[in-house]
Amino acid sequence: LEIQSGGQTQDFGDLITATSTSGPVSSSTRGVFVAGLDPSGRTNVIEFVTIATTGNATNFGDYVEAISYVGGVSNETRGVTASGNGPSSPTNSNTMAFVTIASTGNAQNFGDLSQRSAGVMGVQSSTRGVFNIGSLHDGSYGFTNTIEFITIASTGDATDFGDLTRTNSAYGGSCCSSTRGLFAGGYNNTPAPVTEVNNIDYITIASTGNSLDFGDLVTAGFYNFGTSNKTRGIFQGRLTTAPTSGDPMIDSVTIASTGNAVVWGEMYRMDSGPHDGQSLVRRGATTISDSHGGL
């Protein structure tokens, strides 16, 4: 998808293995997909593509553990992924690890988030990464509104940033400019175990403090992972529970303003409306760009 113009997404190529909920990190030239769920369960495989071309993914290396529902932040040099749901589900992880995007090789340990969680949403500037921690899955299946940050070029544990102020949520979408980060959608456990969220919150990445209200998504849902070109943010697809179905809609916002999202396009090949006769279910798709706020 060309973010500035929207429309229907076009075919790019194939991953080596069908996966979902991978950790997204990218530079201006390369996109990297870290771990995730594959047909056999959780995987530690890392794959990459060259964003300006089209074609199939290439093996990058291995992550520090087999994990899914991973969050990611990146700048031009380094990608840092965080948290996730581990192989002994419902055990979550608080591990952060990093890769050097321009090279290939295995991920290395970065540090820890303060809590074990999954469904983390990440935003970034060129120097700082910020994570909305998300779903705890620590036996209570609770949700947290905690936001933490790291300095991407260093290593070490995350530091408290503030709180989401409207709704505790996880498994939503995030996008950012170099100064502002947005967290959108997802689900929580209030009032029902899987209650979709349509809230969009924003933070100023260089500061600390609680998030502020930005507006609402067009339709509430989760797995609506996002990215941006620094000016325009998009949130692609989503899963809804009324009934359980994939929604191909792509929402868009102007990051520097506030207000509700608008329809910007739709995902190619969705279970709720395939365009080519294929009944491929797409949800939990990882989203990267060559022009997000960390670049």
Side-chain angles (χ1 to χ4, degrees):
L1 180 74
E2 299 296 335
I3 295 173
Q4 69 272 16
S5 55
Q8 183 179 314
T9 61
Q10 306 298 311
D11 182 59
F12 185 97
D14 295 326
L15 294 169
I16 300 169
T17 303
T19 56
S20 67
T21 68
S22 300
V25 297
S26 62
S27 67
S28 59
T29 56
R30 179 180 280 190
V32 183
F33 308 99
V34 179
L37 287 170
D38 70 14
S40 63
R42 291 152 184 83
T43 180
N44 69 340
V45 173
I46 307 172
E47 303 180 26
F48 76 93
V49 296
T50 301
I51 298 174
T53 66
T54 57
N56 297 336
T58 301
N59 184 69
F60 186 99
D62 294 330
Y63 195 54
V64 293
E65 55 188 331
I67 201 113
S68 60
Y69 302 102
V70 185
V73 297
S74 54
N75 59 18
E76 185 65 23
T77 305
R78 175 181 281 189
V80 182
T81 47
S83 192
N85 188 246
S88 55
S89 178
T91 300
N92 281 354
S93 172
N94 65 344
T95 298
M96 293 184 287
F98 73 92
V99 295
T100 301
I101 297 173
S103 67
T104 57
N106 297 337
Q108 301 177 61
N109 185 261
F110 184 96
D112 295 326
L113 295 175
S114 66
Q115 301 177 80
R116 297 177 180 270
S117 61
V120 170
M121 295 179 260
V123 297
Q124 65 272 305
S125 67
S126 60
T127 57
R128 175 180 281 191
V130 184
F131 295 104
N132 164 29
I133 289 186
S135 173
L136 300 180
H137 280 230
D138 57 358
S140 63
Y141 289 88
F143 291 77
T144 180
N145 64 352
T146 300
I147 306 171
E148 297 183 349
F149 75 93
I150 59 170
T151 301
I152 297 174
S154 68
T155 57
D157 295 342
T159 301
D160 184 63
F161 184 98
D163 296 326
L164 285 178
T165 55
R166 286 218 287 173
T167 306
N168 301 349
S169 63
Y171 308 102
S174 55
C175 67
C176 59
S177 66
S178 57
T179 57
R180 177 180 280 192
L182 275 59
F183 303 112
Y187 74 84
N188 59 30
N189 57 357
T190 304
V194 180
T195 298
E196 294 122 338
V197 173
N198 72 343
N199 298 346
I200 308 172
D201 283 14
Y202 76 93
I203 58 169
T204 301
I205 296 172
S207 66
T208 57
N210 297 338
S211 69
L212 298 171
D213 177 45
F214 184 96
D216 294 326
L217 294 170
V218 177
T219 302
F222 49 102
Y223 302 155
N224 56 307
F225 301 137
T227 190
S228 75
N229 62 1
K230 291 190 181 75
T231 302
R232 183 173 296 278
I234 60 167
F235 305 104
Q236 57 84 2
R238 72 211 64 204
L239 186 66
T240 63
T241 58
T244 300
S245 178
D247 184 336
M249 182 193 307
I250 299 172
D251 288 16
S252 173
V253 293
T254 301
I255 297 173
S257 66
T258 58
N260 296 336
V262 298
V263 177
W264 202 242
E266 58 183 14
M267 291 288 291
Y268 175 66
R269 298 182 187 157
M270 288 287 295
D271 61 332
S272 59
H275 293 275
D276 57 2
Q278 299 187 48
S279 57
L280 178 66
V281 176
R282 175 168 293 173
R283 63 193 192 211
T286 303
T287 310
I288 52 104
S289 84
D290 58 6
S291 50
H292 60 72
L295 306 176

